[in-house]
Amino acid sequence: MARPLIALEGIHKRYPMGANEVQALRGLDLAISPGEFVAIMGPSGSGKSTLLEILGCLSHPSDGDYRLDGRSVAGLSVDQLAQVRGEKIGFVFQSFNLLPRLTAIENVELPLVYASTPRRERRSRAENALARVGLVDRGDHLPSELSGGQCQRVAIARALINRPSLVLADEPTGNLDTATGDEILTLLHALHREGNTILVATHDAKIGTQATRVVTIQDGKIARDENREAAA
Amino acid sequence: MVYESLRQALRTLLRHRARAFLTMFGVVWGTSAVIFLVSWGDGVRTMLEVGFFKTGKNMGEVWAGRIGEDFTPAADRRYLWFNLEDVEALRRRTRLASRVGAEAWEMLPAAFGQRALTVDVRGMEQHSQEIRGVPLVAGRRISQADVSHRRRVVVLGDRVRRKLLGAQGGIGSWIRLGGKPFRVVGMLRPMGSQLNQDRMQIDDQVWVPISTVHANWPAWWTHEPVVSKIIYRMVDRHQVDAAEREVRAILADRLQVSATDDEAIPIWSSIHMLNQIPVDQTRGMMWTLSIATLVIGGIGVLTMMLDAVHERRHEIGLRLAVGARRRHVLFQFFVETFAITALGGLMGTLLGVGGCWALTQLQVPDMIPVPELSASIVLGALGVMGSVGLLAGVIPAWRAAQIEPAIALRQE
């Protein structure tokens, strides 16, 4: 196995909840290698979203070590974390999270704006990314003028634009009908075959059956970790 | 990054035109109120100064009265008058008056062709004309030579000129004053209403050499050349009381009355009136009121932006998730707030300046104050507006920058 892209060791996450504390994650260990397609499954309240937050460098674990690409992110400042997110992680959300006031191509460009990429390069890379998700002629549409599936493709293009080490998708098909959801899934698979590391948090058993690896979370710990590399 | 933020701020404003305008309205109103109110306050002051100083800037006027009751038995309350020697003496001895002039008055019938009216005739000399400071529209003033030779020459006030000469006469015309021919040598500029006037406004007067009055219409009670009024210009308007005391003391010495008898020698300075009007306080109040308006406008902007930050917390979360630093978010919202304030401020400035300008274009009666716009007022208003914008911008921007990036993952 190659050097892990993601290495979580003894991750704890506690939230204050009124006077009490909620233990969202209780000593979770996980290693993910480059090129894997991992489905993270688990019921609501299992800690799945919290795990995603931490994997996405959106928040720090309360305890434990997280190494992304060999580099520990535990001690990073807020702005350094933002930089890591911008450079190494592409997010895909259930509700797409496109900015309604920006056109599709501007939404795709957004991570490059914060990475201070020159304007012309931004535009050409965004066009390529849109072409990759099959929306080459929809660049100047506003999200409100696109279908749900198209919006999610725009979001995927945005996630890909910085050539991230890791694509994190949170219920990417949750807001879509079955047919459109399948299309998105196919797209994710294609991206996986091109060498992208993809991590999908989902309730959807179908995604589980198609992933190379399924990690099931329960009560803040890993309950099951099935490798289906052979099956895929 | 700066360019992007500006672009996005402007876009957001354009998208929410109605809301942005309503928010801006407070700032527009506040800025125009600052400019308009303060300008108007300045206009009031100018109007008062002009009104009071039309008949002579920093001028004191001295009459001769009767000896005061407190200074003499009732049976001996003599009438007093000044003569030319008293004026000379005052001119020599005073230190707080830079100029001293004499005037002699008569009410006389004036005629030109078949027109006639009774006019206020003022015997003037160099100094009194200088103190009055009324500009001419044609001809010349009463000269020293006119006074020396007791010439029958006359300078006409504007209304007298119009009523008496009409379109027929001009410089060089002959009119009759008290039955005697006088040549018109000058015409005074129309002065309009005066806040400080003795019996007649300048426009209703005619000026002749003081010596000519004495030669043609001597006082019936004395052979002396009587001076109806002494006027002087004080050296320093802040020393108005000292100047009055000094002038009274010198003249009292000449007239053999008490140096503190203000019934014997009444003095009037229009500066007293100006000083009684709380011009500066009024100006301060105008500033305070209008700044308060602007601050209220700023609070409106602040509330709207705090609201917007809350409403757009998912957008902010997303921006943070795709790599925005806290300062990017801070800057974006700050620029947005500042743009609203600045735009409102500029609109308000245009409105205020436009309003002031429109009022100055109107032909208003003499004693209606017109706003007096100055660069310092506009700069002051813009400065206050800028500070309000900064304050209103900092808080929402700071709030926005505190939002947790993890919110991007949460569903609502």
PDB file of all heavy atoms in Angstrom, chain B residues 76-88:
ATOM      1  N   ASP B  76     -32.945 121.358  34.683  1.00  0.00           N
ATOM      2  CA  ASP B  76     -31.781 121.711  33.867  1.00  0.00           C
ATOM      3  C   ASP B  76     -31.435 120.619  32.871  1.00  0.00           C
ATOM      4  O   ASP B  76     -30.279 120.352  32.618  1.00  0.00           O
ATOM      5  CB  ASP B  76     -30.582 121.999  34.791  1.00  0.00           C
ATOM      6  CG  ASP B  76     -29.379 122.476  33.973  1.00  0.00           C
ATOM      7  OD1 ASP B  76     -29.606 123.130  32.943  1.00  0.00           O
ATOM      8  OD2 ASP B  76     -28.245 122.142  34.344  1.00  0.00           O
ATOM      9  N   ARG B  77     -32.451 119.960  32.319  1.00  0.00           N
ATOM     10  CA  ARG B  77     -32.098 118.908  31.359  1.00  0.00           C
ATOM     11  C   ARG B  77     -31.897 119.542  29.986  1.00  0.00           C
ATOM     12  O   ARG B  77     -32.765 119.477  29.116  1.00  0.00           O
ATOM     13  CB  ARG B  77     -33.180 117.823  31.334  1.00  0.00           C
ATOM     14  CG  ARG B  77     -33.236 117.059  32.648  1.00  0.00           C
ATOM     15  CD  ARG B  77     -34.002 115.802  32.504  1.00  0.00           C
ATOM     16  NE  ARG B  77     -33.428 114.929  31.479  1.00  0.00           N
ATOM     17  CZ  ARG B  77     -34.106 113.977  30.867  1.00  0.00           C
ATOM     18  NH1 ARG B  77     -35.368 113.767  31.184  1.00  0.00           N
ATOM     19  NH2 ARG B  77     -33.529 113.247  29.949  1.00  0.00           N
ATOM     20  N   ARG B  78     -30.696 120.151  29.765  1.00  0.00           N
ATOM     21  CA  ARG B  78     -30.396 120.838  28.509  1.00  0.00           C
ATOM     22  C   ARG B  78     -30.442 119.876  27.328  1.00  0.00           C
ATOM     23  O   ARG B  78     -30.122 118.709  27.460  1.00  0.00           O
ATOM     24  CB  ARG B  78     -28.964 121.391  28.523  1.00  0.00           C
ATOM     25  CG  ARG B  78     -28.596 122.293  29.596  1.00  0.00           C
ATOM     26  CD  ARG B  78     -27.152 122.742  29.392  1.00  0.00           C
ATOM     27  NE  ARG B  78     -26.204 121.962  30.170  1.00  0.00           N
ATOM     28  CZ  ARG B  78     -25.050 121.525  29.701  1.00  0.00           C
ATOM     29  NH1 ARG B  78     -24.732 121.734  28.441  1.00  0.00           N
ATOM     30  NH2 ARG B  78     -24.215 120.862  30.456  1.00  0.00           N
ATOM     31  N   TYR B  79     -30.814 120.431  26.169  1.00  0.00           N
ATOM     32  CA  TYR B  79     -30.628 119.707  24.911  1.00  0.00           C
ATOM     33  C   TYR B  79     -29.192 119.886  24.481  1.00  0.00           C
ATOM     34  O   TYR B  79     -28.591 120.928  24.714  1.00  0.00           O
ATOM     35  CB  TYR B  79     -31.561 120.249  23.823  1.00  0.00           C
ATOM     36  CG  TYR B  79     -32.973 119.743  23.998  1.00  0.00           C
ATOM     37  CD1 TYR B  79     -33.922 120.501  24.676  1.00  0.00           C
ATOM     38  CD2 TYR B  79     -33.337 118.510  23.468  1.00  0.00           C
ATOM     39  CE1 TYR B  79     -35.208 120.030  24.845  1.00  0.00           C
ATOM     40  CE2 TYR B  79     -34.635 118.045  23.635  1.00  0.00           C
ATOM     41  CZ  TYR B  79     -35.562 118.805  24.315  1.00  0.00           C
ATOM     42  OH  TYR B  79     -36.830 118.341  24.476  1.00  0.00           O
ATOM     43  N   LEU B  80     -28.637 118.844  23.844  1.00  0.00           N
ATOM     44  CA  LEU B  80     -27.238 118.887  23.425  1.00  0.00           C
ATOM     45  C   LEU B  80     -27.146 118.696  21.930  1.00  0.00           C
ATOM     46  O   LEU B  80     -28.050 118.157  21.303  1.00  0.00           O
ATOM     47  CB  LEU B  80     -26.454 117.772  24.118  1.00  0.00           C
ATOM     48  CG  LEU B  80     -26.483 117.764  25.650  1.00  0.00           C
ATOM     49  CD1 LEU B  80     -25.976 116.437  26.180  1.00  0.00           C
ATOM     50  CD2 LEU B  80     -25.649 118.911  26.203  1.00  0.00           C
ATOM     51  N   TRP B  81     -26.100 119.184  21.339  1.00  0.00           N
ATOM     52  CA  TRP B  81     -25.805 118.876  19.935  1.00  0.00           C
ATOM     53  C   TRP B  81     -24.307 118.908  19.716  1.00  0.00           C
ATOM     54  O   TRP B  81     -23.577 119.502  20.490  1.00  0.00           O
ATOM     55  CB  TRP B  81     -26.531 119.840  18.991  1.00  0.00           C
ATOM     56  CG  TRP B  81     -26.114 121.282  19.135  1.00  0.00           C
ATOM     57  CD1 TRP B  81     -25.095 121.904  18.495  1.00  0.00           C
ATOM     58  CD2 TRP B  81     -26.726 122.252  19.980  1.00  0.00           C
ATOM     59  NE1 TRP B  81     -25.011 123.214  18.881  1.00  0.00           N
ATOM     60  CE2 TRP B  81     -26.014 123.447  19.796  1.00  0.00           C
ATOM     61  CE3 TRP B  81     -27.840 122.244  20.867  1.00  0.00           C
ATOM     62  CZ2 TRP B  81     -26.338 124.634  20.481  1.00  0.00           C
ATOM     63  CZ3 TRP B  81     -28.157 123.416  21.520  1.00  0.00           C
ATOM     64  CH2 TRP B  81     -27.415 124.590  21.340  1.00  0.00           C
ATOM     65  N   PHE B  82     -23.901 118.213  18.645  1.00  0.00           N
ATOM     66  CA  PHE B  82     -22.487 118.227  18.268  1.00  0.00           C
ATOM     67  C   PHE B  82     -22.277 119.233  17.166  1.00  0.00           C
ATOM     68  O   PHE B  82     -23.182 119.508  16.380  1.00  0.00           O
ATOM     69  CB  PHE B  82     -22.035 116.861  17.719  1.00  0.00           C
ATOM     70  CG  PHE B  82     -22.244 115.716  18.668  1.00  0.00           C
ATOM     71  CD1 PHE B  82     -22.951 114.587  18.273  1.00  0.00           C
ATOM     72  CD2 PHE B  82     -21.712 115.764  19.960  1.00  0.00           C
ATOM     73  CE1 PHE B  82     -23.126 113.532  19.134  1.00  0.00           C
ATOM     74  CE2 PHE B  82     -21.903 114.699  20.832  1.00  0.00           C
ATOM     75  CZ  PHE B  82     -22.611 113.575  20.428  1.00  0.00           C
ATOM     76  N   ASN B  83     -21.059 119.781  17.090  1.00  0.00           N
ATOM     77  CA  ASN B  83     -20.692 120.587  15.916  1.00  0.00           C
ATOM     78  C   ASN B  83     -19.429 119.990  15.300  1.00  0.00           C
ATOM     79  O   ASN B  83     -18.895 118.992  15.793  1.00  0.00           O
ATOM     80  CB  ASN B  83     -20.525 122.059  16.283  1.00  0.00           C
ATOM     81  CG  ASN B  83     -19.409 122.256  17.302  1.00  0.00           C
ATOM     82  OD1 ASN B  83     -18.430 121.503  17.303  1.00  0.00           O
ATOM     83  ND2 ASN B  83     -19.568 123.246  18.169  1.00  0.00           N
ATOM     84  N   LEU B  84     -18.976 120.600  14.199  1.00  0.00           N
ATOM     85  CA  LEU B  84     -17.849 120.021  13.462  1.00  0.00           C
ATOM     86  C   LEU B  84     -16.572 119.966  14.300  1.00  0.00           C
ATOM     87  O   LEU B  84     -15.742 119.081  14.123  1.00  0.00           O
ATOM     88  CB  LEU B  84     -17.592 120.823  12.183  1.00  0.00           C
ATOM     89  CG  LEU B  84     -18.587 120.534  11.048  1.00  0.00           C
ATOM     90  CD1 LEU B  84     -18.363 121.490   9.883  1.00  0.00           C
ATOM     91  CD2 LEU B  84     -18.458 119.078  10.574  1.00  0.00           C
ATOM     92  N   GLU B  85     -16.439 120.901  15.223  1.00  0.00           N
ATOM     93  CA  GLU B  85     -15.241 120.889  16.068  1.00  0.00           C
ATOM     94  C   GLU B  85     -15.234 119.671  16.987  1.00  0.00           C
ATOM     95  O   GLU B  85     -14.177 119.098  17.268  1.00  0.00           O
ATOM     96  CB  GLU B  85     -15.156 122.177  16.904  1.00  0.00           C
ATOM     97  CG  GLU B  85     -14.681 123.361  16.082  1.00  0.00           C
ATOM     98  CD  GLU B  85     -14.783 124.661  16.885  1.00  0.00           C
ATOM     99  OE1 GLU B  85     -14.671 124.594  18.135  1.00  0.00           O
ATOM    100  OE2 GLU B  85     -15.005 125.702  16.265  1.00  0.00           O
ATOM    101  N   ASP B  86     -16.410 119.288  17.470  1.00  0.00           N
ATOM    102  CA  ASP B  86     -16.482 118.075  18.300  1.00  0.00           C
ATOM    103  C   ASP B  86     -16.003 116.865  17.501  1.00  0.00           C
ATOM    104  O   ASP B  86     -15.284 116.002  18.004  1.00  0.00           O
ATOM    105  CB  ASP B  86     -17.924 117.824  18.765  1.00  0.00           C
ATOM    106  CG  ASP B  86     -18.446 118.963  19.623  1.00  0.00           C
ATOM    107  OD1 ASP B  86     -17.631 119.515  20.399  1.00  0.00           O
ATOM    108  OD2 ASP B  86     -19.651 119.284  19.512  1.00  0.00           O
ATOM    109  N   VAL B  87     -16.420 116.799  16.246  1.00  0.00           N
ATOM    110  CA  VAL B  87     -16.020 115.686  15.386  1.00  0.00           C
ATOM    111  C   VAL B  87     -14.511 115.683  15.215  1.00  0.00           C
ATOM    112  O   VAL B  87     -13.853 114.649  15.330  1.00  0.00           O
ATOM    113  CB  VAL B  87     -16.733 115.764  14.020  1.00  0.00           C
ATOM    114  CG1 VAL B  87     -16.279 114.637  13.113  1.00  0.00           C
ATOM    115  CG2 VAL B  87     -18.243 115.752  14.201  1.00  0.00           C
ATOM    116  N   GLU B  88     -13.952 116.876  14.944  1.00  0.00           N
ATOM    117  CA  GLU B  88     -12.499 116.999  14.795  1.00  0.00           C
ATOM    118  C   GLU B  88     -11.788 116.524  16.048  1.00  0.00           C
ATOM    119  O   GLU B  88     -10.806 115.773  15.990  1.00  0.00           O
ATOM    120  CB  GLU B  88     -12.114 118.462  14.514  1.00  0.00           C
ATOM    121  CG  GLU B  88     -12.094 118.818  13.037  1.00  0.00           C
ATOM    122  CD  GLU B  88     -11.261 117.851  12.217  1.00  0.00           C
ATOM    123  OE1 GLU B  88     -10.156 117.464  12.689  1.00  0.00           O
ATOM    124  OE2 GLU B  88     -11.713 117.445  11.125  1.00  0.00           O
TER     125      GLU B  88
END
